Amino acid sequence: MTTITLRRAETDAAPAAADRAAPFRTAAGGLVDRRRPLDFTFDGRAYTGLQGDTLASALLANGVRLVGRSFKYHRPRGILSAGSEEPNALVELRSGARREPNTRATVAELYQGLDAQSQNRWPSLALDALSVNALLSPVFAAGFYYKTFMWPASFWEKLYEPMIRRAAGLGRAAAEPDPDHYDKVHAHCDVLVIGGGPAGLAAALAAGRSGARVILVDEDFSLGGRLIAERREVGGRSGADWAATAEAELRGLPEVTVLTRTTLFGVYDHGAYGAVERVSDHLAVPAAHAPRQRLWRITARRAVLAAGAIERPHVFGGNDRPGVMLAGAVRTYLNRYGVLPGRRVAIFTSGDDGWRTLADVVAAGGEVAAVIDTRPSVPPALRREAEAAGARVIAGGYVAGTRGHLALKAVDVVDAYGSRETVACDCLAMANGWNPVVHLDSHLSRRPVWSEEIHAFVPGALPCGMEAAGAAAGRFGLADCLETGAKAGAGAASECGFTAAPEPAPATDPESHAHSPLWRVPKPRGKAFVDFQNDVAASDVELAHREGFRAVEHLKRYTTLGMATDQGKTSNLAGLSIMAELTGRAIPSVGTTVFRPPFTPVAIGAFAGHHRGKEFRATRHVPSHAWCEEQGAVFVETGLWLRPAYFPRAGERDWLETVNREVNTVRANVGICDVTTLGKIDIQGRDALAFIERVCANPFGTLPVGKARYAVLLREDGLVMDDGTIARLADTHYVMTASTANAAKVMQHLEFCRQWLWPEHDVQIVSVSEQWAQYAVAGPRARDTLRGVIDPGLDIGNAAFPFLACAEVTVGGGIPARLFRISFSGELAYELAVPAAYGDAAWRALMAAGAAHGITPYGSEALSVMRIEKGHAAGAEINGQTTARDLGLGGMLAKKKDYVGRLMKERPAMTDPERPILAGFRPVDRSARLRAGAHFLAVGASPSLAADEGYMTSVAFSPSLGHWIGIGLIRRGTERHGERVRAYDPVRGGDVEVEICSPVFVDPKEEKLRV
Amino acid sequence: MRYSVFSVLGQALRGQRDWKPHWRDVAPRTEYDVVIVGGGGHGLATAYYLAKEHGITNVAVLEKSHVGSGNVGRNTTIVRSNYGLAGNIPFYEHAMKLWEGLEADINYNAMVSQRGVLNLFHSDAQRDAYARRGNAMRMAGVDGELLDREGVRAMVPFIDFDNARFPVKGGLLQRRGGTVRHDAVAWGYARAADERGVDIVQNCAVTGIRRENGRVTGVETSRGFIRAGKVGISVAGSSSLLAGMVDMRLPIESHVLQAFVSEGVKPLIDCVMTFGAGHFYVSQSDKGGLVFGGDIDGYNSYAQRGNLATIEDVMEGGMALWPGLGRLRLLRHWGGIMDMSMDGSPIIDRTDIGGLYLNAGWCYGGFKATPAAGFCFAHTIARDEPHPVSAAYRLDRFATGHLIDEKGMGAQPNLH
Amino acid sequence: MRIRCPHCGERDNGEFSYLGDAAPVRPDGMEAEAAAMHDYVYLRDNPAGAIRELWYHGAGCRGWLVVTRDTRTHAISDVAPARDVALARRKGEAA
């Protein structure tokens, strides 16, 4: 073994005074900056760490072993790992609105002022009242809750469940809105390299040098992977140096993007990847205008999976005692962070790899008490090394149990002959082999395959375009990592059309990965944990087996193995191997659970990005919006639109008074309403009419140029899709309107009809909803008002421009406009369309022109009142459940043409005379208020579904009539005018007797319309 | 062994040594009176009620994988009977009543938790639509309340009332709605059916359905031919594939629906809450994870996984409604395959082939229906006629026009 | 998921909306029996495997596309403008 130490230039300086207080910090070495101490607190106690520490390494440096309590038994837990697989060391990071529960201390970068709390304990970490659960653990075996808490039934919600819920959960979420913001970015590349260890760096270099666009992502804040955690040699330099040089070269390549602190969390179809960059999590608060995190949606032509491997714990009694760690993690703390995880370390290994720990502990100034190797024979060279270090070697033995309470004091060892002894130590390093990270290649439903060679699952058939390299492919040797990485990177770039050839891999120091895993020790002393976080012990796997939960998914769900925040990264294989042993099967025939995204948990805020609060969805403003705001209009959300609902004036007591005044003014004088939100579709071409005939249920053959007509569209199932108007501006030129809510749907439907159903038609359609501002001008003085706005030349007198006339006109001295004499209010009314850019000006001009005639602006409320007074169907009636006949439109449907919905509307249930049909309703007691959503019942009938005769769809207070009115759907409604029924509304305590009447309440003879 | 606090304590003292498998894992016999295809919640419940209600115990449930491997173990565990149409309400209320008595019935704690289901509304039109629905529920004897904004605030004070793009105006609350531990439903029914003599056969894929003279005679399986007088198909997600074995085409498409769970945290939300202005609904499991979901991905799929755009859409809805979620972390997301029907409602019916019955088309509502679907499907199979509460779920309703379209979306499965 | 629009190039599936199987052919409403229209509107093969299906590029060219995709893997093997496919089908019917 060479005597490399990891260091950076600046670390050669004398250690900062403040850090001398950290009792477990090594004298020198590591990638921490000893000149930059950082103060932090854990559970309110102040400590000091160094720049480059994680919270975990800083805690260990300060001798803090106990960092958490387990989920079920509240057992004391310490730090197991040095990476994102950590199951134990979960803390609440930060406080107040920024509190982040379940943060893994092993990946939380230390910053000045970091504030962390342990979680799931009360009153304190050392004295946790619920640790009594550990005494009850014989009761709390896997699945016990399915067998009890059943009596009495009402106690579940009242007593048992609240108790369980309070005890469960881990940390406490922030109760307040997240004060930080999140960003999203789309990126495209030729080669995506996942992981910045030796294989990933080699891959990125090989691909990057070819000129390919490369994105390299790594979850860590420093690149290098195991190169910065082990004392290794690459090309005659330290591995850390080689990694730093590689990183510098990559950052210098113009087509290469290096993203650290970035976790590639999911693989999706067709080369789409999700990654999250922790932009500001290493700071106390994000810099001004900087996001906390950024979601990367990466589209890559090829990907190299170089995500490394995760070390496996041993399953033995008390293996969760604080101080028991993964051997690789012990080395990471020693070499990268300059921290001794213990002063007297015992090593429990099943392979040569664990032995690396010995030299590292010694080099860092620690002592190795013993090396317990489960293999009966240990290579002589290793044995000599142990002897030189003064460490005992116990070959063919195992650790059966641990001693100590809140921290490890000793391990009970059984040797090859079965004799037991106790070895004092304050840290146990476990090495039971490594599992390639097969999570990401499983996201597209690929199953990993078992490798007998390395006793682990390795990637099976990889997703299209992905190749695995290095440890992620089960090639653990450093030379293999460099070689397979370079090959995969060059291969990926070549497949993207770049000229790339891997350069020969640099030489590395020798190593051995010989190992023979021990899946669990034969006779554990105490609980032997498989899943640390969820407190699943080997005995729980046995119980699952006994109770028939032997399928891998059953095992997982019955015991909760692998369902904690680490998703079984350190536990899945242990669980499988025990089940394999119990069922007498080989591990691969037990199966694998399917790994699901995300690879590590991702903040919900990152997925949402800026889409929150008012920016959740885009806001569309009508062209008159600025004017409406000036006037103090009250707005209402209508889909994405923000529409003026009404325009209160000083002295008006409530919305109803305002709306009444607006309605009355329209009916008496004139009003103006912004109806731009309607969909507007331009239809042109030789076959425009033929096309319209197919999509509309009523006939259009007789519509002359210069006229508009009401249009009904059905869905192919015969129910009404939408209604609107179609105006014929020229021989082969029509303009159609669709309702605000259905504008996009209708456009899509028309394109479907045009492109797919009747492609032979010579017709083009385009949405011009955005291009035209459109205003309804309604009331007896509407014509007078319009005359003040449209350019002279067009006679809009009643004779020349009657009801349903339309024309292209100009306004404001030559600005093109369109005028339609159509009415939703039942008054003499027009809709004037002007190019959207002139919308604001036209609105102001109309208001000015109408001033002399008493004009009022009116909003969506008054619009709705007037359409209900006229019995026009709108969204509440055209709700996807009604036929044209239900809405009283049956008579207008065409007989002699095919159109969408023609046949299906004739099905028996659609033409059943008992179907509820549109009618009007007025309260018998005229002072009573009506409510939409009330159901109709015969007077005297007791409420039941059988007695249900229909329901009220829309209601309004009619200022014209002086009482509430409603329209609704009721059985045989047209035949029952004058009959009384109940409008029954129990959810609002309403029960009003109403009289069925015509749905047209105002001007039934349409006299006002045609003057 | 009967499950109770006494048996649990007894076993605690005995090292949990005497527990037996919850159900026997048996090899299929060559002939049964009834074969149920599909060992999910519905199939197992059907077998249980065939035995319990109709005395038909010579029954096999054939499962191609393991019990509960389909949607019963992939859903977001919500139960409710807050439907608005006459064809649906009595059925889902029947399910709710069965949920309420489930634990006593099957001696298995499925953690039926009536914590309330709250559907938020954000406009007057939406309020009126919910009122219509709530009133229909009340007329059918189902509990339902319309809350105003302050009523909602009292229940879920942490959601965004002040800065929302679509302000919350109130909600429709069904207090008897809630959640049920999904896996336990499958396991509990499996155990209860097994106790009554039903054979549960795992790892047994049906590969064909044999017919003679217009009647089924049995099923071909990966473990051989199994003769049966009656065959019930209960394989949501794959219904079209089974129907295809007898040349039937169904008014169904298979779509992927994703579900999500966050890391476990201490109690945050007590009820089930749905956002009315986006695709997001949420509850919290007893273990502490927030369980949430949204819309289907929208395209035909038999792959049990979804895509990123839908995930973002769901999280955006979550953050818009509940801005305190930002720092909570998504732990896992997965997909299940839904039978999306043409009107958004299910089918429980006979088919044109004698002895062949179909339970299908559950869209994303199958879990909450489990007890009643099993109860009614068993009734249909045993009596050859529909149970009154599922009488509307006929296969021929698309031809007659008796649609049950709660959302009014029409014949496009991905819109329901 | 990524769809290669013949007009716009490869785009995220969020830009598209889905209709369903492209196989059913709409019968003429003046000539067909109700049963034929019922089958067109309601019955689907719903295959586990390759399916030709209709997508609408609403956030792009507004083109309807016929996408050939495997429902088990989501792999897309072909994308064609729906109008071209429909016209070719008409031609085939006429011949």
Side-chain angles (χ1 to χ4, degrees):
Chain A
M1 183 70 59
T2 50
T3 53
I4 298 165
T5 48
L6 303 190
R7 59 179 61 217
R8 283 189 173 144
E10 67 267 30
T11 63
D12 293 335
D19 189 50
R20 291 203 190 102
F24 287 83
R25 187 75 69 182
T26 57
L31 299 179
V32 285
D33 186 346
R34 288 168 190 265
R35 291 174 307 183
R36 295 183 62 193
L38 300 172
D39 302 316
F40 71 102
T41 63
F42 178 64
D43 278 346
R45 273 198 64 181
Y47 301 97
T48 305
L50 295 176
Q51 181 75 40
D53 262 331
T54 60
L55 175 58
S57 68
L59 285 170
L60 287 172
N62 285 280
V64 178
R65 301 296 182 79
L66 173 66
V67 295
R69 288 280 174 170
S70 69
F71 179 73
K72 192 155 88 173
Y73 304 133
H74 289 249
R75 287 170 68 107
R77 289 286 163 81
I79 293 160
L80 178 75
S81 76
S84 62
E85 69 272 31
E86 178 62 34
N88 286 341
L90 306 185
V91 299
E92 289 173 2
L93 190 65
R94 307 173 205 268
S95 56
R98 287 195 167 87
R99 188 166 65 204
E100 293 152 28
N102 309 334
T103 301
R104 287 153 292 156
T106 50
V107 294
E109 276 179 71
L110 199 66
Y111 54 82
Q112 176 61 32
L114 180 147
D115 165 27
Q117 303 277 330
S118 59
Q119 53 189 35
N120 204 33
R121 83 288 184 274
W122 184 86
S124 77
L125 191 52
L127 261 180
D128 179 9
L130 275 176
S131 59
V132 65
N133 283 4
L135 301 176
L136 297 174
S137 67
V139 182
F140 293 172
F144 79 98
Y145 29 77
Y146 300 125
K147 298 168 186 155
T148 182
F149 298 130
M150 285 182 277
W151 186 87
S154 65
F155 274 34
W156 174 250
E157 284 92 345
K158 290 197 184 105
L159 179 67
Y160 303 136
E161 192 177 42
M163 198 171 72
I164 291 170
R165 286 166 78 91
R166 268 199 299 277
L170 292 162
R172 300 162 303 155
E176 300 152 61
D178 190 344
D180 293 334
H181 68 269
Y182 299 82
D183 204 5
K184 287 191 196 182
V185 62
H186 287 253
H188 297 256
C189 64
D190 297 308
V191 182
L192 171 67
V193 180
I194 304 162
L201 288 170
L205 283 172
R209 284 168 182 161
S210 76
R213 288 178 306 165
V214 175
I215 296 177
L216 170 67
V217 298
D218 194 287
E219 61 178 352
D220 204 334
F221 55 94
S222 292
L223 289 182
R226 292 308 297 171
L227 287 174
I228 56 172
E230 309 273 9
R231 297 180 304 143
R232 299 303 305 271
E233 204 173 278
V234 180
R237 290 180 289 167
S238 81
D241 274 355
W242 185 86
T245 311
E247 180 178 356
E249 181 181 345
L250 288 169
R251 291 196 186 272
L253 290 169
E255 297 295 337
V256 175
T257 305
V258 177
L259 296 171
T260 52
R261 300 188 173 102
T262 304
T263 302
L264 198 297
F265 63 76
V267 183
Y268 301 93
D269 289 313
H270 307 160
Y273 298 83
V276 64
E277 181 186 6
R278 288 171 296 278
V279 181
S280 307
D281 280 355
H282 60 297
L283 305 171
V285 291
H289 311 300
R292 175 185 171 222
Q293 298 183 350
R294 182 178 288 130
L295 186 83
W296 287 75
R297 293 177 59 169
I298 301 170
T299 305
R301 297 170 71 191
R302 292 288 182 277
V304 177
L305 179 67
I310 293 171
E311 198 168 21
R312 304 190 287 233
H314 279 108
V315 178
F316 58 95
N319 58 347
D320 62 331
R321 186 91 52 212
V324 179
M325 297 174 75
L326 295 169
V330 169
R331 299 197 296 277
T332 304
Y333 290 114
L334 291 168
N335 299 324
R336 176 174 174 180
Y337 298 106
V339 170
L340 278 165
R343 299 210 190 280
R344 188 174 153 82
V345 178
I347 298 166
F348 181 18
T349 184
S350 301
D352 292 355
D353 176 66
W355 284 80
R356 301 188 70 86
T357 320
L358 178 98
D360 289 0
V361 171
V362 172
E367 181 193 348
V368 175
V371 182
I372 304 108
D373 195 321
T374 58
R375 300 171 298 177
S377 82
V378 169
L382 294 177
R383 195 179 275 277
R384 281 196 297 276
E385 200 183 330
E387 280 158 8
R392 296 191 47 213
V393 175
I394 302 168
Y398 62 88
V399 175
T402 59
R403 291 172 189 241
H405 175 46
L406 299 179
L408 183 70
K409 293 210 169 84
V411 292
D412 292 322
V413 178
V414 178
D415 72 11
Y417 309 101
S419 53
R420 289 173 174 267
E421 66 178 293
T422 301
V423 176
C425 58
D426 59 355
C427 174
L428 178 72
M430 318 179 259
N432 196 23
W434 297 73
N435 287 330
V437 170
V438 292
H439 300 66
L440 293 170
D441 49 275
S442 308
H443 287 178
L444 293 184
S445 317
R446 262 74 171 180
R447 297 273 179 166
V449 295
W450 182 254
S451 162
E452 273 303 330
E453 190 191 337
I454 62 164
H455 310 286
F457 285 102
V458 295
L462 283 163
C464 185
M466 183 188 276
E467 192 168 347
R475 308 289 294 271
F476 294 136
L478 178 54
D480 272 351
C481 288
L482 295 168
E483 188 191 326
T484 57
K487 210 170 137 215
S494 302
E495 285 169 24
C496 295
F498 297 87
T499 308
E503 290 173 18
T508 61
D509 55 306
E511 64 188 311
S512 163
H513 282 273
H515 92 288
S516 174
L518 176 69
W519 297 120
R520 60 165 170 168
V521 306
K523 285 179 186 142
R525 216 183 115 251
K527 273 211 181 287
F529 285 94
V530 176
D531 183 316
F532 291 96
Q533 193 182 126
N534 268 354
D535 277 338
V536 180
S539 55
D540 292 310
V541 180
E542 289 172 346
L543 178 60
H545 173 258
R546 203 171 296 138
E547 299 200 277
F549 292 97
R550 296 169 191 182
V552 57
E553 276 291 328
H554 279 161
L555 168 65
K556 173 183 137 188
R557 289 157 183 261
Y558 193 64
T559 64
T560 75
L561 193 160
M563 297 180 81
T565 62
D566 56 304
Q567 292 282 285
K569 290 189 178 68
T570 54
S571 64
N572 271 340
L573 189 57
L576 280 181
S577 61
I578 296 170
M579 186 55 79
E581 174 203 317
L582 293 168
T583 54
R585 287 180 293 174
I587 290 173
S589 60
V590 175
T592 55
T593 55
V594 179
F595 292 108
R596 302 282 186 181
F599 176 62
T600 54
V602 178
I604 288 169
F607 285 106
H610 294 288
H611 293 269
R612 54 186 284 201
K614 296 282 189 202
E615 280 71 50
F616 167 50
R617 291 289 178 257
T619 302
R620 300 178 76 178
H621 288 167
V622 291
S624 65
H625 186 82
W627 186 92
C628 297
E629 271 198 320
E630 289 164 23
Q631 298 300 310
V634 173
F635 293 91
V636 62
E637 297 80 10
T638 309
L640 294 183
W641 291 99
L642 205 54
R643 297 184 74 175
Y646 51 94
F647 296 81
R649 280 191 188 161
E652 288 174 344
R653 285 186 309 270
D654 59 10
W655 66 274
L656 188 57
E657 187 178 343
T658 303
V659 173
N660 287 345
R661 191 250 310 147
E662 289 174 11
V663 171
N664 287 333
T665 308
V666 173
R667 297 240 184 265
N669 299 320
V670 60
I672 171 176
C673 182
D674 194 328
V675 295
T676 303
T677 58
L678 292 173
K680 303 172 214 76
I681 300 165
D682 210 74
I683 305 171
Q684 297 192 45
R686 200 174 54 206
D687 296 326
L689 176 61
F691 175 72
I692 288 167
E693 291 282 33
R694 288 284 173 271
V695 298
C696 294
N698 53 326
F700 278 83
T702 56
L703 183 71
V705 172
K707 272 296 183 99
R709 181 174 291 172
Y710 179 72
V712 186
L713 280 74
L714 305 187
R715 302 187 308 221
E716 196 67 274
D717 68 357
L719 297 169
V720 178
M721 172 186 282
D722 199 29
D723 67 347
T725 58
I726 291 179
R728 190 172 190 179
L729 294 176
D731 190 34
T732 59
H733 185 190
Y734 296 78
V735 180
M736 176 177 181
T737 63
S739 67
T740 302
N742 290 326
K745 188 161 90 179
V746 168
M747 186 65 201
Q748 175 176 337
H749 171 68
L750 293 194
E751 288 287 13
F752 174 76
C753 294
R754 186 183 74 87
Q755 296 176 39
W756 182 246
L757 293 185
W758 294 288
E760 69 279 10
H761 283 159
D762 180 8
V763 60
Q764 291 294 327
I765 59 179
V766 66
S767 168
V768 293
S769 302
E770 299 280 334
Q771 282 68 30
W772 293 90
Q774 196 150 317
Y775 304 130
V777 184
R781 312 294 294 276
R783 188 180 292 125
D784 304 328
T785 302
L786 271 175
R787 281 191 171 126
V789 172
I790 61 174
D791 294 340
L794 177 72
D795 178 4
I796 59 169
N798 195 35
F801 201 76
F803 180 55
L804 293 177
C806 67
E808 294 189 279
V809 300
T810 60
V811 295
I815 297 161
R818 290 168 178 172
L819 188 66
F820 311 90
R821 188 168 162 191
I822 51 183
S823 177
F824 203 43
S825 57
E827 298 297 323
L828 164 67
Y830 302 82
E831 287 185 14
L832 177 70
V834 299
Y838 294 100
D840 179 77
W843 178 274
R844 289 172 198 270
L846 281 164
M847 284 304 298
H853 308 293
I855 196 169
T856 181
Y858 66 99
S860 55
E861 287 292 338
L863 183 81
S864 175
V865 170
M866 287 188 280
R867 72 103 186 159
I868 294 167
E869 287 180 333
K870 290 298 294 178
H872 291 311
E877 290 77 31
I878 303 176
N879 62 2
Q881 298 171 327
T882 45
T883 66
R885 183 187 160 277
D886 297 343
L887 302 177
L889 305 171
M892 68 164 63
L893 302 192
K895 308 272 185 301
K896 294 180 184 159
K897 66 167 183 178
D898 184 21
Y899 55 88
V900 174
R902 179 176 189 275
L903 277 179
M904 288 290 96
K905 76 174 191 310
E906 302 298 335
R907 286 177 286 174
M910 301 277 170
T911 54
D912 185 347
E914 292 296 322
R915 271 181 83 91
I917 192 165
L918 193 75
F921 300 88
R922 53 187 167 222
V924 173
D925 168 3
R926 293 285 196 264
S927 67
R929 178 171 184 170
L930 302 183
R931 303 251 187 208
H935 285 246
F936 299 122
L937 290 173
V939 175
S942 62
S944 72
L945 287 179
D948 190 2
E949 298 198 28
Y951 70 102
M952 192 86 82
T953 52
S954 302
V955 300
F957 180 81
S958 167
S960 315
L961 300 175
H963 60 79
W964 284 85
I965 58 171
I967 57 176
L969 299 160
I970 187 166
R971 218 175 272 167
R972 293 188 178 271
T974 37
E975 304 160 23
R976 295 167 66 184
H977 291 182
E979 201 179 305
R980 290 178 178 184
V981 290
R982 286 162 69 191
Y984 182 62
D985 185 32
V987 294
R988 285 170 294 199
D991 191 353
V992 179
E993 202 168 304
V994 293
E995 181 191 326
I996 306 173
C997 59
S998 158
V1000 185
F1001 292 90
V1002 167
D1003 189 26
K1005 293 186 179 151
E1006 300 193 338
E1007 285 160 349
K1008 301 184 78 173
L1009 202 59
R1010 298 173 190 276
V1011 294
Chain B
M1 192 190 310
R2 192 170 167 78
Y3 291 163
S4 72
V5 64
F6 305 109
S7 61
V8 167
L9 289 173
Q11 285 304 311
L13 300 174
R14 305 173 51 77
Q16 313 279 354
R17 281 194 309 271
D18 303 333
W19 297 116
K20 296 282 179 298
H22 289 209
W23 62 88
R24 298 164 296 130
D25 185 22
V26 298
R29 284 183 274 129
T30 54
E31 183 167 358
Y32 292 91
D33 293 342
V34 179
V35 159
I36 304 295
V37 185
H42 285 211
L44 294 164
T46 303
Y48 171 68
Y49 292 113
L50 275 172
K52 182 184 177 225
E53 301 291 327
H54 306 281
I56 302 173
T57 57
N58 185 21
V59 176
V61 177
L62 308 183
E63 166 54 48
K64 73 174 171 187
S65 178
H66 54 271
V67 158
S69 55
N71 292 332
V72 71
R74 292 168 185 276
N75 59 79
T76 47
T77 78
I78 296 166
V79 299
R80 56 185 173 89
S81 57
N82 58 357
Y83 282 73
L85 297 181
N88 279 328
I89 301 173
F91 174 83
Y92 284 100
E93 180 57 13
H94 187 62
M96 185 58 79
K97 293 216 169 85
L98 289 171
W99 284 125
E100 287 170 332
L102 185 70
E103 280 135 10
D105 190 12
I106 65 173
N107 181 228
Y108 207 91
N109 185 1
M111 305 180 198
V112 176
S113 176
Q114 294 182 288
R115 49 189 53 256
V117 172
L118 175 64
N119 301 130
L120 300 175
F121 58 78
H122 308 262
S123 71
D124 291 353
Q126 216 173 11
R127 176 200 61 212
D128 293 343
Y130 278 159
R132 174 193 172 195
R133 185 175 359 154
N135 285 331
M137 289 158 61
R138 293 279 286 269
M139 288 165 74
V142 180
D143 71 308
E145 297 162 50
L146 201 67
L147 303 185
D148 62 9
R149 193 175 150 91
E150 293 314 307
V152 170
R153 197 193 291 272
M155 280 190 78
V156 285
F158 43 81
I159 63 173
D160 190 352
F161 286 95
D162 306 318
N163 187 43
R165 173 72 181 80
F166 300 104
V168 174
K169 297 202 164 178
L172 178 66
L173 172 65
Q174 185 186 25
R175 292 192 194 271
R176 286 165 62 242
T179 57
V180 179
R181 169 83 182 106
H182 58 3
D183 288 327
V185 174
W187 301 339
Y189 272 122
R191 176 169 168 270
D194 174 84
E195 272 182 356
R196 288 176 184 268
V198 171
D199 277 0
I200 295 165
V201 186
Q202 302 183 97
N203 300 306
C204 180
V206 170
T207 54
I209 298 170
R210 226 185 258 179
R211 285 173 285 176
E212 272 169 37
N213 306 320
R215 266 202 79 83
V216 292
T217 56
V219 290
E220 313 275 0
T221 78
S222 55
R223 298 171 77 167
F225 176 69
I226 301 172
R227 187 169 293 281
K230 292 182 173 183
V231 173
I233 297 175
S234 187
V235 293
S238 303
S239 300
S240 299
L241 305 182
L242 267 290
M245 293 176 187
V246 287
D247 307 316
M248 269 171 69
R249 298 166 80 218
L250 298 178
I252 285 172
E253 291 178 2
S254 296
H255 285 260
V256 63
L257 176 69
Q258 302 194 63
F260 311 85
V261 66
S262 80
E263 292 184 344
V265 286
K266 294 294 177 193
L268 274 181
I269 178 169
D270 200 41
C271 62
V272 179
M273 174 174 69
T274 70
F275 186 27
H279 300 115
F280 177 76
Y281 59 88
V282 64
S283 64
Q284 188 168 15
S285 77
D286 285 343
K287 211 165 154 259
L290 293 186
V291 181
F292 45 109
D295 201 7
I296 56 175
D297 274 41
Y299 42 80
N300 285 21
S301 175
Y302 285 91
Q304 288 175 328
R305 60 165 192 271
N307 269 296
L308 196 49
T310 307
I311 301 165
E312 290 174 71
D313 183 63
V314 173
M315 305 298 155
E316 287 166 10
M319 279 298 279
L321 180 63
W322 187 354
L325 289 181
R327 302 178 99 82
L328 263 181
R329 300 187 195 92
L330 172 68
L331 175 61
R332 184 175 164 94
H333 66 85
W334 63 94
I337 303 306
M338 312 290 115
D339 263 11
M340 297 302 295
S341 75
M342 285 282 173
D343 63 356
S345 294
I347 295 155
I348 299 179
D349 204 355
R350 295 167 295 189
T351 67
D352 290 341
I353 296 160
L356 184 66
Y357 305 84
L358 181 67
N359 168 39
W362 288 97
C363 298
Y364 36 75
F367 178 69
K368 70 177 81 67
T370 304
F375 194 94
C376 294
F377 197 37
H379 184 101
T380 305
I381 293 169
R383 307 264 184 95
D384 246 328
E385 63 183 22
H387 187 276
V389 301
S390 62
Y393 297 153
R394 293 170 62 113
L395 187 50
D396 68 0
R397 69 176 183 269
F398 303 96
T400 62
H402 290 92
L403 307 173
I404 315 167
D405 190 345
E406 291 265 344
K407 290 187 180 172
M409 290 313 219
Q412 200 183 321
N414 65 341
L415 298 181
H416 288 289
Chain C
M1 208 149 81
R2 311 274 300 170
I3 297 173
R4 191 175 295 279
C5 172
H7 308 118
C8 310
E10 189 188 285
R11 300 296 182 89
D12 226 50
N13 76 300
E15 291 190 7
F16 302 81
S17 43
Y18 184 79
L19 186 72
D21 196 343
V25 179
R26 184 185 187 276
D28 186 288
M30 298 301 281
E31 293 167 10
E33 298 286 325
M37 191 62 86
H38 163 268
D39 291 359
Y40 164 73
V41 175
Y42 288 109
L43 298 189
R44 298 291 178 266
D45 288 336
N46 192 23
I51 181 175
R52 295 173 77 227
E53 56 192 11
L54 287 158
W55 290 77
Y56 175 63
H57 197 186
C61 58
R62 295 202 326 268
W64 279 90
L65 308 174
V66 175
V67 175
T68 309
R69 192 176 57 93
D70 192 308
T71 57
R72 294 162 304 183
T73 64
H74 298 165
I76 292 173
S77 55
D78 188 58
V79 185
R83 188 162 184 269
D84 294 355
V85 175
L87 285 170
R89 191 157 69 182
R90 287 282 160 98
K91 213 177 256 177
E93 282 164 14

